[in-house]
Amino acid sequence: MSSAGIPQQPTPERFLGAINAYQQTEAVKAAVELEIFTAIGEGNTTVAAIAKRCKASERGVRTLCDFLTIHGFLTKDGAQYGLAPDAAVFLNKTSPAYLGGAIEFLLILRVRESHARMTDAVRQGGSALGEGNLVAENPDWVKFAEAMMPLMVMPAQIMASELRKGGEAHKVLDIAAGHGIYGIFVAKQNPAAQIYACDWKNVLAVAEKNAKKMGVGDRHHLIPGSAFDVDFGGGYDLALITNFLHHFNPATCTTFMKKVHAALVPGGRAAVVEFVPNPDRVSPPTAAAFSMMMLATTPDGDAYTFAELEKMLKDAGFSRVEMAEAPLGVGRMVVAYR
Amino acid sequence: MSSAGIPQQPTPERFLGAINAYQQTEAVKAAVELEIFTAIGEGNTTVAAIAKRCKASERGVRTLCDFLTIHGFLTKDGAQYGLAPDAAVFLNKTSPAYLGGAIEFLLILRVRESHARMTDAVRQGGSALGEGNLVAENPDWVKFAEAMMPLMVMPAQIMASELRKGGEAHKVLDIAAGHGIYGIFVAKQNPAAQIYACDWKNVLAVAEKNAKKMGVGDRHHLIPGSAFDVDFGGGYDLALITNFLHHFNPATCTTFMKKVHAALVPGGRAAVVEFVPNPDRVSPPTAAAFSMMMLATTPDGDAYTFAELEKMLKDAGFSRVEMAEAPLGVGRMVVAYR
């Protein structure tokens, strides 16, 4: 609401907006649950038509749709609502890029509860709920694997194609595979590649299902268990460590990457996907803000800068560390060479 | 993050930003509770100094301050944090305009819980928690009176001075007085005015205390009870109905304003303060979005447009209805003449 360059009177609106920001969370969640975006995409553009399609009250639909318009998800022209471009692509269930289901992971109870105790987290420097979801076979990670896959398709495709430029991979370790989509796209781009996906057993069931569905099931192998404890075997020319290191402190990351280093062939690559803030730690906003998610939900994880990742990886024995220029959505890929 | 005029690729960032918006709520709440803004205002500008002053961990403080910088509450220059102008005025406890205490009302449990059931509220067209806080002697309104007063000082001053332009008030009815500040400023600007403040008995204790503190205690009288049920008496030349009508449906508002009309002398004025959205109901954003607060927390309240307020007031018998040009913060004043 402020315009750059125009001096503003101090107003409490920023404070009130932030304090009430949870309303956006609840409104978008409600809209996904009620299929408001899908209803509008189908041509139900008035309050009455949307309410009928979504089995909701007209008063509730009117208020919700106005709120979604204020926050840029919908357009409003007279009494007609429409989908803003982002909502049409990502929030209409009939869109191939639909990712409304991600709320099933992003808003799980434990994440909300850990944030509700943010004052305690800031005091003690880590999640007020202790180990959080970093315990064995935690069902939250099955939800992650199922709910977050659509959000990862685009980054996984970019990653596989960037990695392909550096040479064909043959034996690929996919750590904390989750939905398995990162390894699956590497397999699709490297016809000779065998993927070894490591995650908790309950989570790997999701990766296995996805690998079969996407036609690479015969080259997709499972290593169930904790990535810290299981035997990876060796001879890998590529290891994928995607959205994993941010859960742990730098010493733990370094120790872990030594284990990965040992599993790689000489010249092998470790490809790390992370939210990577700039050295100022306040830009770009989404990557930098991810640090708060880790403060609230993990004992000592973080969003690491490139310099921090480079140090961990060099301390783990890697000879060269580079950040790929192409962003993977809000994430970045850092490649370390054995 | 988007710039007007530059065509954007669809991105999931708006969706992810809204789903995670509750982090802003928790972060600003934590910062107020830990007195981060006050600490910085006192000259503690590094992570180490702020952490020491706020008795918190350096890791937590660093992450929180970066997050607050991303969201415009702080500035960051190298390793030094500073207060953005709004934060300096409104969130530093030593500032006379400090209003961080408003979180005690804005984030009361019942409000959060009612929003957590927004999907149900949209389905049924009203709060999933029923009557919410509209029951007799609800202690939430004591919290309101205590916590929200600082936020109302500026609007109350503007209101009193706008009303003064229309003539001196002598007998003033202050409905749902809460903190009492609206009536108190009218008393201060009209030396002959007697204020009759109506609210629940437990809430009026706050108004009474404020009236004494601000030097108008001898002209401040109490009418304890439900504004719908108590006898106001008569002969008022001014009635203040501030932030009250939005809790009720139009029929209830009309019935209530008939009672106010009957208590006024001919030519007397009813001054209604409300969030008043434009006819499009999606602007201005803060006033329009207030409709969502009423959907979530009341059975059938709303943020009413001027046309809707005008109809209620005319149906209640008022002859002329005008909206004052000067905004009262995010609110507006509508004056109805008997």
Side-chain angles (χ1 to χ4, degrees):
Chain A
M1 278 179 275
S2 71
S3 303
I6 302 172
Q8 301 261 318
Q9 279 281 94
T11 104
E13 288 214 46
R14 187 189 298 275
F15 167 64
L16 296 174
I19 288 296
N20 287 331
Y22 71 94
Q23 291 189 296
Q24 296 174 50
T25 305
E26 307 298 358
V28 174
K29 176 171 177 278
V32 167
E33 289 177 352
L34 293 165
E35 303 187 359
I36 299 281
F37 303 107
T38 310
I40 296 174
E42 290 166 355
N44 303 288
T45 59
T46 64
V47 166
I50 299 164
K52 192 172 171 216
R53 159 67 174 79
C54 298
K55 298 186 176 59
S57 69
E58 294 196 9
R59 173 176 177 245
V61 165
R62 188 263 290 166
T63 299
L64 179 58
C65 288
D66 285 342
F67 191 87
L68 294 167
T69 304
I70 293 165
H71 289 283
F73 290 92
L74 300 181
T75 59
K76 187 177 185 184
D77 182 6
Q80 309 275 324
Y81 296 97
L83 297 174
D86 293 350
V89 172
F90 297 113
L91 298 176
N92 179 342
K93 268 196 164 171
T94 65
S95 162
Y98 176 74
L99 44 77
I103 61 170
E104 298 292 331
F105 174 74
L106 294 170
L107 296 178
I108 50 177
L109 190 61
R110 192 163 185 100
V111 170
R112 295 296 293 273
E113 285 178 343
S114 64
H115 279 82
R117 295 187 54 189
M118 191 179 287
T119 302
D120 291 336
V122 174
R123 280 203 186 101
Q124 69 190 54
S127 177
L129 299 186
E131 284 295 305
N133 48 23
L134 301 177
V135 296
E137 306 274 335
N138 187 301
D140 287 358
W141 297 114
V142 177
K143 260 194 186 154
F144 169 83
E146 288 170 344
M148 297 294 276
M149 204 266 270
L151 204 54
M152 303 298 174
V153 168
M154 188 270 285
Q157 283 175 310
I158 299 172
M159 184 185 192
S161 110
E162 285 295 309
L163 287 169
R164 185 68 185 76
K165 292 179 193 166
E168 180 136 6
H170 295 94
K171 189 174 180 186
V172 180
L173 180 59
D174 184 4
I175 284 166
H179 35 67
I181 203 77
Y182 286 98
I184 289 167
F185 274 107
V186 169
K188 287 178 82 78
Q189 296 215 8
N190 296 259
Q194 300 288 327
I195 313 296
Y196 293 80
C198 175
D199 210 318
W200 303 113
K201 192 179 165 192
N202 55 347
V203 183
L204 280 181
V206 182
E208 192 178 16
K209 194 183 65 189
N210 287 335
K212 280 183 186 153
K213 205 161 67 182
M214 296 179 71
V216 299
D218 55 330
R219 293 185 286 127
H220 194 266
H221 316 283
L222 308 181
I223 307 178
S226 161
F228 290 96
D229 301 332
V230 295
D231 182 6
F232 293 147
Y236 296 99
D237 53 356
L238 179 62
L240 313 177
I241 304 98
T242 55
N243 296 313
F244 182 67
L245 297 182
H246 54 240
H247 297 100
F248 311 105
N249 66 38
T252 303
C253 291
T254 302
T255 304
F256 179 73
M257 290 308 298
K258 279 182 191 163
K259 181 179 175 183
V260 173
H261 184 269
L264 288 170
V265 298
R269 292 175 290 169
V272 171
V273 173
E274 281 296 328
F275 294 88
V276 183
N278 293 329
D280 65 12
R281 287 194 180 281
V282 293
S283 67
T286 304
F290 189 72
S291 180
M292 181 54 86
M293 184 62 72
M294 292 301 99
L295 176 71
T297 62
T298 70
D300 48 11
D302 209 343
Y304 293 112
T305 63
F306 176 72
E308 289 171 327
L309 291 168
E310 186 181 36
K311 180 170 187 331
M312 293 173 203
L313 291 161
K314 290 210 160 165
D315 288 352
F318 289 89
S319 61
R320 188 157 57 92
V321 181
E322 289 168 355
M323 185 149 72
E325 271 186 42
L328 313 179
V330 294
R332 299 299 297 259
M333 178 168 72
V334 171
V335 181
Y337 297 82
R338 171 164 177 171
Chain B
M1 278 181 278
S2 69
S3 304
I6 302 172
Q8 302 262 318
Q9 280 280 94
T11 104
E13 288 213 48
R14 187 189 298 275
F15 167 65
L16 296 174
I19 288 297
N20 287 331
Y22 71 94
Q23 291 189 296
Q24 296 174 50
T25 306
E26 307 297 0
V28 174
K29 175 170 177 279
V32 167
E33 289 177 351
L34 293 165
E35 304 187 358
I36 299 281
F37 303 107
T38 310
I40 295 173
E42 290 166 354
N44 303 287
T45 59
T46 63
V47 166
I50 299 164
K52 194 175 168 211
R53 160 65 174 79
C54 298
K55 297 186 175 64
S57 69
E58 294 197 9
R59 174 175 177 247
V61 166
R62 188 263 289 164
T63 299
L64 179 58
C65 288
D66 286 342
F67 191 88
L68 294 168
T69 303
I70 294 165
H71 289 283
F73 290 91
L74 299 181
T75 59
K76 187 177 185 184
D77 182 8
Q80 309 275 325
Y81 296 97
L83 297 175
D86 293 350
V89 172
F90 297 113
L91 298 175
N92 179 343
K93 269 195 164 173
T94 66
S95 163
Y98 175 74
L99 42 78
I103 61 171
E104 298 292 331
F105 174 75
L106 294 169
L107 297 178
I108 49 178
L109 191 62
R110 191 165 185 99
V111 170
R112 295 296 293 272
E113 284 177 345
S114 64
H115 279 83
R117 296 187 54 190
M118 191 180 286
T119 302
D120 291 336
V122 175
R123 279 203 186 102
Q124 70 191 54
S127 177
L129 300 185
E131 284 295 305
N133 49 21
L134 301 178
V135 295
E137 306 275 334
N138 188 300
D140 287 357
W141 297 113
V142 178
K143 260 195 185 153
F144 169 83
E146 288 169 344
M148 297 295 275
M149 202 266 269
L151 204 54
M152 303 299 173
V153 168
M154 187 269 286
Q157 284 176 309
I158 299 173
M159 183 184 192
S161 109
E162 285 295 310
L163 287 170
R164 185 69 184 75
K165 292 179 193 165
E168 181 137 5
H170 295 94
K171 188 174 180 188
V172 180
L173 180 60
D174 183 4
I175 285 166
H179 34 68
I181 203 75
Y182 286 98
I184 289 167
F185 274 108
V186 169
K188 286 178 81 77
Q189 296 215 9
N190 296 261
Q194 300 288 327
I195 313 296
Y196 293 81
C198 175
D199 210 319
W200 303 112
K201 192 179 164 191
N202 55 347
V203 183
L204 280 182
V206 182
E208 191 178 17
K209 194 183 65 188
N210 288 334
K212 281 182 185 155
K213 204 161 67 182
M214 296 178 71
V216 299
D218 55 328
R219 293 185 285 128
H220 194 267
H221 316 283
L222 309 180
I223 308 178
S226 160
F228 290 97
D229 301 331
V230 294
D231 182 5
F232 294 146
Y236 295 98
D237 52 357
L238 179 62
L240 313 177
I241 304 98
T242 55
N243 296 313
F244 182 67
L245 297 182
H246 54 239
H247 297 100
F248 310 105
N249 66 37
T252 303
C253 291
T254 303
T255 303
F256 179 73
M257 290 308 298
K258 278 182 190 163
K259 180 179 176 184
V260 173
H261 184 269
L264 289 170
V265 298
R269 292 175 290 169
V272 171
V273 172
E274 281 296 327
F275 294 88
V276 183
N278 293 329
D280 65 13
R281 287 193 180 280
V282 293
S283 67
T286 304
F290 190 73
S291 180
M292 180 55 86
M293 184 61 74
M294 291 301 99
L295 177 70
T297 63
T298 70
D300 48 12
D302 208 343
Y304 294 111
T305 63
F306 176 72
E308 289 171 326
L309 291 169
E310 186 181 35
K311 180 170 188 328
M312 293 172 204
L313 291 162
K314 291 210 162 165
D315 288 352
F318 289 89
S319 62
R320 187 156 59 91
V321 182
E322 288 167 357
M323 183 148 71
E325 271 186 42
L328 314 179
V330 294
R332 300 298 297 261
M333 177 168 73
V334 171
V335 180
Y337 296 82
R338 172 164 177 172

